[in-house]
Amino acid sequence: MPAERFDFPNAQGQKLAALLDRPEREPRAYALFAHCFTCGKDIHAAKRVADGLTALGIAVLRFDFTGLGSSEGEFANTSFSSNVADLVAAANELRRSARAPAILIGHSLGGTAVLAAAAEVPEARAVVTIAAPCDPTHVTGLFKDRLEEIAAKGEVEATLAGRRFRISRAFVDDLAEHKLLERIANLRKALLLFHSPTDEIVGIENASRIFTAAKHPKSFVSLAGADHLLSRRSDAAYVANVIHAWAERYLGAPQGASEAPHDPKVVVVRETRQGRFQQEITVGAHRFLADEPVDVGGLDSGPGPYDLLLAGLGACTAMTLRLYAERKALPLERVTVELEHSRIHAADCEDCETKEGMLDRIERAITLRGALDADQRRRLLEIADKCPVHRTLTSEIDIRTVERPEITRP
């Protein structure tokens, strides 16, 4: 669904421009997203993370801080404290008009801001930072060669990310007043940190200091290969998927859900309407995305249909071998199954009944770790062919398709 305008006033009564990304059905929860320093709500990372979360049933509010993007006010009159106040104002507006945010997400200095604001949003049960500095004074590194001039003149113009901003002495002084590590130690909310070990803007040591200061529950996810701005779509989609899976533990039962629960035995696949191919898959209490790679028109936000098919066969194979090994008391330490799907000419398959046209082929390589003798290894490979999914794929399958009328609700 297209994002909705969701403008709201800050503490000074200035209008802040905001967008609310909603899922097609009643949201599982609401999240509040804070963008990076001098960025805006429309930066790729913010939009793509919001797209990924809405596809999984979580609504996301993203907005421009005072003096940035389409929001009113002068950037020169803002501070880290005003950013924190803007976040609290956004949470208050969500609480008033929809539901208070259960998840606070911040990118770069926005991550530092959500850590500072979290105590003032009591309904927030989970806090997520992406490439966040452990101290707001980190941003002064962007204009460190102008600090003496700022102190002497009270205000200077500086070029940041190719744009001109007025930086005031009050802004710099305010940064130094925040004792963030103390707030992190008293967070009392679940914390998830994302950071790239090769981030050249905010070093990985910042994540280490935040993680050390925080108390459990806390988690860290390395964004290996990602840049500071999450420029690659796949990195932002990965962040959204992990946030969703991680936050499920802390969100509790859905509130105000309008859809009747599905039979847990039924797998439900529903278009998210994000991109051409993205699908939300619901299996009982589990939700995840399926998609196609970018080079064929997808968003690469999840595994493709054949990837899921191979995953099902691989999982079933490993589970079956584990059960057999336990029953026979075999010294099997670990099973690894690697699978690949391809199409081959039927004439190239000596054991196949079909001799014309093309056939599907699945290559399955099984690694068995443990002190197993030759007979035990041979028997385990025989058992692999007896896993239920293998039998299903190699047996006659009757697939029946019917149309189910859409249920409309008042």
Side-chain angles (χ1 to χ4, degrees):
M1 293 179 66
E4 304 173 10
R5 288 288 300 272
F6 194 86
D7 298 347
F8 61 93
N10 65 8
Q12 288 71 44
Q14 297 163 321
K15 186 174 70 174
L16 301 188
L19 292 173
L20 180 60
D21 297 273
R22 293 181 184 268
E24 290 193 331
R25 58 191 184 282
E26 181 67 21
R28 173 81 171 81
Y30 283 77
L32 179 57
F33 189 103
H35 61 72
C36 51
F37 184 57
T38 72
C39 299
K41 66 182 182 305
D42 299 316
I43 188 173
H44 286 319
K47 185 178 186 308
R48 289 169 179 171
V49 170
D51 286 347
L53 287 174
T54 54
L56 294 164
I58 296 175
V60 181
L61 177 65
R62 47 194 169 98
F63 69 96
D64 294 326
F65 283 112
T66 300
L68 291 172
S70 301
S71 288
E72 295 178 349
E74 290 292 329
F75 178 82
N77 298 329
T78 67
S79 63
F80 184 74
S81 293
S82 73
N83 287 170
V84 173
D86 287 350
L87 276 166
V88 174
N92 290 341
E93 185 64 19
L94 263 181
R95 183 186 300 110
R96 185 192 66 79
S97 60
R99 199 189 316 159
I103 309 171
L104 304 179
I105 306 169
H107 179 206
S108 195
L109 190 64
T112 314
V114 299
L115 289 169
E120 299 183 61
V121 188
E123 299 91 342
R125 285 159 278 176
V127 178
V128 180
T129 67
I130 306 165
C134 64
D135 190 314
T137 58
H138 183 278
V139 300
T140 60
L142 298 175
F143 45 85
K144 60 184 178 182
D145 57 333
R146 309 289 300 277
L147 289 175
E148 291 186 5
E149 186 180 0
I150 293 170
K153 295 182 178 180
E155 182 178 292
V156 301
E157 275 202 353
T159 300
L160 305 174
R163 298 160 59 199
R164 303 286 291 177
F165 293 94
R166 284 188 294 147
I167 308 295
S168 69
R169 183 168 56 201
F171 177 87
V172 175
D173 292 343
D174 178 78
L175 291 172
E177 292 178 2
H178 291 270
K179 307 300 181 186
L180 188 66
L181 293 181
E182 294 178 9
R183 296 198 188 191
I184 294 171
N186 296 304
L187 190 61
R188 304 187 193 284
K189 302 177 189 292
L191 176 63
L192 173 61
L193 307 173
F194 290 95
H195 216 111
S196 170
T198 55
D199 191 325
E200 297 181 351
I201 305 299
V202 180
I204 188 67
E205 68 277 2
N206 286 270
S208 298
R209 293 189 66 188
I210 294 173
F211 189 85
T212 301
K215 294 181 174 63
H216 287 289
K218 57 183 178 179
S219 304
F220 171 76
V221 175
S222 176
L223 294 176
D227 61 20
H228 182 71
L229 293 178
L230 297 187
S231 301
R232 290 188 307 194
R233 185 184 295 273
S234 58
D235 290 329
Y238 173 74
V239 166
N241 286 339
V242 173
I243 290 174
H244 174 266
W246 169 84
E248 278 291 317
R249 180 177 293 272
Y250 308 105
L251 293 182
Q255 302 176 26
S258 61
E259 289 193 21
H262 291 287
D263 182 338
K265 297 179 181 178
V266 176
V267 175
V268 180
V269 180
R270 179 187 290 106
E271 282 190 311
T272 67
R273 300 178 70 181
Q274 301 289 342
R276 294 178 64 195
F277 301 120
Q278 191 183 76
Q279 311 290 320
E280 180 197 31
I281 300 174
T282 303
V283 186
H286 307 288
R287 291 179 180 174
F288 53 96
L289 296 177
D291 205 343
E292 290 284 9
V294 173
D295 58 4
V296 295
L299 302 177
D300 197 26
S301 59
Y306 277 100
D307 299 326
L308 294 169
L309 177 69
L310 295 179
L313 175 59
C316 182
T317 300
M319 292 175 185
T320 301
L321 295 183
R322 174 55 54 199
L323 288 173
Y324 180 81
E326 289 180 354
R327 188 164 61 248
K328 298 295 184 179
L330 301 181
L332 178 63
E333 296 176 7
R334 173 172 288 180
V335 179
T336 302
V337 185
E338 299 174 73
L339 304 104
E340 185 176 356
H341 170 259
S342 62
R343 298 274 290 169
I344 65 169
H345 292 283
D348 295 332
C349 181
E350 296 180 359
D351 301 327
C352 297
E353 294 182 6
T354 302
K355 296 302 179 184
E356 296 182 359
M358 303 292 290
L359 292 174
D360 289 278
R361 167 169 286 175
I362 294 176
E363 301 279 355
R364 178 174 56 182
I366 302 174
T367 301
L368 304 171
R369 180 190 297 177
L372 300 160
D373 61 33
D375 287 340
Q376 291 169 333
R377 291 177 180 276
R378 176 187 54 76
R379 182 57 180 156
L380 284 168
L381 292 182
E382 291 175 354
I383 293 298
D385 288 346
K386 300 182 183 300
C387 95
V389 172
H390 181 110
R391 288 180 169 180
T392 297
L393 291 174
T394 55
S395 66
E396 183 176 0
I397 303 175
D398 180 21
I399 299 176
R400 303 185 181 188
T401 303
V402 298
E403 180 180 6
R404 174 166 293 169
E406 182 178 12
I407 299 175
T408 58
R409 293 177 173 84

